[in-house]
Amino acid sequence: MHKTPDKINLAHSTVLLVDDQPASLDLLSSIVQGFGVREQLKCHAAKDAVELLQRRAVDLILVDCAMPEMDGYDFVRWLRREAAEPARFTPVIMILGHAAHARVARGRDCGASYIVAKPLTPSVLLKRIAWLGVHSRDFVEVETYVGPDRRVRNYGPPPGEEGRRQTDLSGDLGEAVEANMDQDTIDMMLKPMKVNL
């Protein structure tokens, strides 16, 4: 299990902020600046963000889901399916006004790396950014979905189901290849032992 780092350095990161509401964009900008990010690129519309990403790369995208014309969901879908590499692999944190299950599922299914609900707090956002830096997920490209693997925890396929990924292990257990350990051996493994250094 990966531990979230106590300190992260975002000074050399370029962050793209996309929100059509000027007050929300300013708040997001202030939060990100407080994290030490020196280079922020701000877009008031998703279409402007599309044009920007065709010219330059960024390290992280924070996008609001509710915008006129092209909303955050359509923007992330475009990013994952149509943007050139390496932009299409850029981590995306989608910001939702309401954390209704349907909206969260829609954000996950369009290819967002993480979803955060408003009201946005700096500590929650920083934890999510740090989590993205520590945990790597496979990038999945199939007909119905393009984006980071939606499984955050890999428990394998549900019982009785065939795995769909190359990394899924079979639930079938083979025959034992060695004799079972006796109880004394198990107890010795679990018993705290004094160590001389």
Side-chain angles (χ1 to χ4, degrees):
M1 176 176 271
H2 297 287
K3 183 181 183 294
T4 303
D6 295 329
K7 294 181 181 183
I8 58 173
N9 183 355
L10 298 173
H12 302 289
S13 300
T14 302
V15 179
L16 172 60
L17 310 174
V18 187
D19 196 322
D20 66 316
Q21 299 295 316
S24 295
L25 192 59
D26 288 343
L27 175 65
L28 197 54
S29 175
S30 295
I31 291 172
V32 171
Q33 186 175 4
F35 297 160
V37 175
R38 293 183 190 146
E39 187 173 15
Q40 302 176 28
L41 306 171
K42 300 178 197 173
C43 292
H44 292 280
K47 291 191 183 255
D48 296 338
V50 168
E51 291 175 18
L52 187 139
L53 288 171
Q54 290 171 338
R55 294 190 314 267
R56 64 168 304 177
V58 298
D59 299 306
L60 175 67
I61 301 171
L62 303 176
V63 61
D64 189 70
C65 71
M67 291 184 284
E69 295 180 41
M70 180 184 225
D71 64 16
Y73 304 109
D74 292 335
F75 169 74
V76 175
R77 205 171 287 109
W78 168 84
L79 178 74
R80 297 302 187 214
R81 293 177 179 270
E82 298 178 38
E85 292 183 23
R88 64 191 312 228
F89 304 115
T90 305
V92 177
I93 296 178
M94 181 171 276
I95 301 166
L96 301 177
H98 305 287
H101 179 71
R103 290 176 186 238
V104 173
R106 188 174 171 203
R108 178 202 66 198
D109 292 345
C110 72
S113 306
Y114 218 103
I115 298 158
V116 177
K118 292 179 182 177
L120 199 58
T121 63
S123 63
V124 167
L125 187 58
L126 186 59
K127 285 178 186 174
R128 300 310 176 246
I129 292 170
W131 189 92
L132 286 172
V134 172
H135 296 79
S136 62
R137 292 187 280 171
D138 292 335
F139 197 82
V140 177
E141 295 184 62
V142 293
E143 187 176 323
T144 57
Y145 175 77
V146 178
D149 191 341
R150 292 179 286 195
R151 289 190 297 195
V152 176
R153 295 174 197 89
N154 189 0
Y155 295 130
E161 297 287 326
E162 287 287 324
R164 296 179 296 171
R165 292 168 176 81
Q166 277 184 315
T167 56
D168 284 339
L169 299 175
S170 167
D172 299 329
L173 296 177
E175 294 294 322
V177 293
E178 296 177 0
N180 290 335
M181 288 190 278
D182 60 32
Q183 190 61 46
D184 289 338
T185 306
I186 294 170
D187 291 342
M188 286 301 293
M189 290 175 68
L190 299 175
K191 181 179 174 185
M193 312 242 341
K194 184 176 181 181
V195 177
N196 292 326
L197 298 176

